[in-house]
Structures are given as C-alpha cells and as structure tokens.
Amino acid sequence: MCIRDRTVGIDMGLKSFLVTSSGEEVAIPQHYRKAEKRLVRLQRQLSRKKKGSKRRAKAVKRVALAHQKVANQRKHFHCTTALWLLGKGKAIAHEDLNIKALAKSRLAKSHADAGWSQFLQILSIKAERAGCLTVAVNPNGTTQNCSGCGVKVPKTLSQRWHSCACGEELSRDTNAAINVKNLAVGHPVRKSSGNVRRSSGSH
C-alpha cells in the first residue's frame, strides 16, 4: 500500500469540526456555547457575593467547576476524535494553522471553543504512540484550488460547494481536505510547491 493510500487529509472549520479527504464529517460539539448561559448566571451570582465571605468562596468554586466541566468535555471529544482518525490511516495531514492569529479574529470565541491547539497536540501525541505521523501543510490555496485539476475556483465563505469546469463536484470542505492530503504526500495541486512539514508537536 502506497503512502497516499495510508494518508488521511483533514480540513478543520467552524461549520464542522473536521471533514476528511474521503468526505466523512465530524460535527462540532460547541461545549462552551452550550454551557454559556449557565456560566454567565454563575458569574453573576459570584459578582453579588461579598468579598472574603464564605458564600463568595463557594460561588468561586461553582464557577471554576463549571469551566472545568467544559474543559473536560472538550478534551474527551478531542481524544475520541484523534483515535477515530488514527484508525483510518498511518499519517494524518492537517493545515498548519496560525493559532495566535485565529485567537485575535472576530470568531475568536468559536475558535477557542473548538480548541484547535489542544486537538492537534493530542493528535500528535497519540499518533506518535501509535507509530503514526501527523503532517502539517501550508493551508494557502487548499480551499480555493480544485483538488482535481489545480485551477483556482474562487468561493465566498457562504459557498459550501466546489464546482469546477474540469467536472469536479464536491463539498468545499472535502475538496480542501483532499488538497491537504495531496500536499502532505508531495503532490501539490498548484504550480508552486506547498510547505510540507512533519510534525511531532502542537501547532
């Protein structure tokens, strides 16, 4: 079996947590979003408590436990998803995301809720333990370029379908995941080669 057959490309986003190069989709759980109303309510209750009082100390503990629950749910989801991916290939290719830039974007809260940095770190650690690889590639062009012929097919954020004159028809996320996979195995779909880097740590 060649390296291409053993590699799975993934496209990570906010509509779906990730989509694989074979078109499989993992829904985004939004743990923080689902708990946000309760967290706001607990924070308000805390703000009403007198500083130094026992009631305030209890309120602080309730807020901390609520945040910890969200963090634990997110980590469990990341671990489960990483193991699921590693069951599909010996190498997992993903975009080399600029986490710091995402944290400053208008969708910062959604990116933080997804927890990309933690997920990629967990994926890398579990891949190493399983004798597998994670491969980070330059994401430039992976969304807009056709995975079939390499021609740029401009799409707005609201356009979720990739349709190329060459006849390639598939979801934009699957198209991007295939491009990520192609870059990882050394077959870029555009004239300038992608920046392929093997990874053993977080990104």
Side-chain angles (χ1 to χ4, degrees):
M1 186 180 290
C2 67
I3 186 171
R4 179 178 176 80
D5 293 332
R6 293 183 287 119
T7 301
V8 176
I10 60 173
D11 176 68
M12 297 179 288
L14 296 177
K15 183 175 177 59
S16 301
F17 183 75
L18 64 83
V19 174
T20 72
S21 47
S22 59
E24 294 172 287
E25 179 182 354
V26 176
I28 194 162
Q30 296 184 319
H31 296 300
Y32 180 82
R33 293 285 186 182
K34 292 177 180 178
E36 192 168 16
K37 287 184 179 180
R38 181 169 185 270
L39 290 170
V40 169
R41 186 175 68 253
L42 290 174
Q43 192 64 49
R44 285 175 180 169
Q45 291 174 357
L46 170 61
S47 67
R48 298 191 190 105
K49 299 296 185 291
K50 184 179 179 180
K51 291 184 178 181
S53 67
K54 290 184 177 180
R55 287 186 176 182
R56 182 179 176 83
K58 290 180 179 180
V60 168
K61 186 175 182 179
R62 283 196 294 270
V63 171
L65 287 174
H67 279 286
Q68 187 60 53
K69 181 179 179 180
V70 172
N72 289 342
Q73 289 175 326
R74 185 183 295 119
K75 185 174 183 179
H76 176 73
F77 169 73
H78 288 163
C79 289
T80 302
T81 303
L83 290 173
W84 175 77
L85 276 175
L86 292 169
K88 295 184 174 298
K90 294 294 289 182
I92 308 299
H94 63 83
E95 302 153 285
D96 191 3
L97 298 177
N98 186 338
I99 302 297
K100 290 184 178 180
L102 293 175
K104 297 177 182 179
S105 71
R106 63 185 179 85
L107 296 173
K109 184 181 290 187
S110 295
H111 286 294
D113 196 12
W116 299 125
S117 182
Q118 177 176 266
F119 171 68
L120 292 177
Q121 183 178 35
I122 288 172
L123 177 63
S124 179
I125 291 171
K126 290 188 178 297
E128 185 175 358
R129 290 174 179 171
C132 300
L133 291 172
T134 56
V135 185
V137 305
N138 189 329
N140 291 339
T142 54
T143 297
Q144 303 294 340
N145 294 347
C146 178
S147 58
C149 67
V151 170
K152 184 176 181 179
V153 182
K155 292 179 281 291
T156 64
L157 285 174
S158 62
Q159 290 177 291
R160 308 309 305 174
W161 190 256
H162 172 83
S163 180
C164 182
C166 75
E168 197 75 2
E169 297 272 349
L170 67 171
S171 78
R172 71 179 279 152
D173 296 335
T174 303
N175 177 71
I178 294 172
N179 281 331
V180 168
K181 175 180 177 176
N182 287 338
L183 286 168
V185 299
H187 296 292
V189 295
R190 58 187 185 276
K191 291 182 180 179
S192 59
S193 61
N195 177 28
V196 180
R197 175 163 57 83
R198 295 200 173 187
S199 162
S200 60
S202 63
H203 303 283

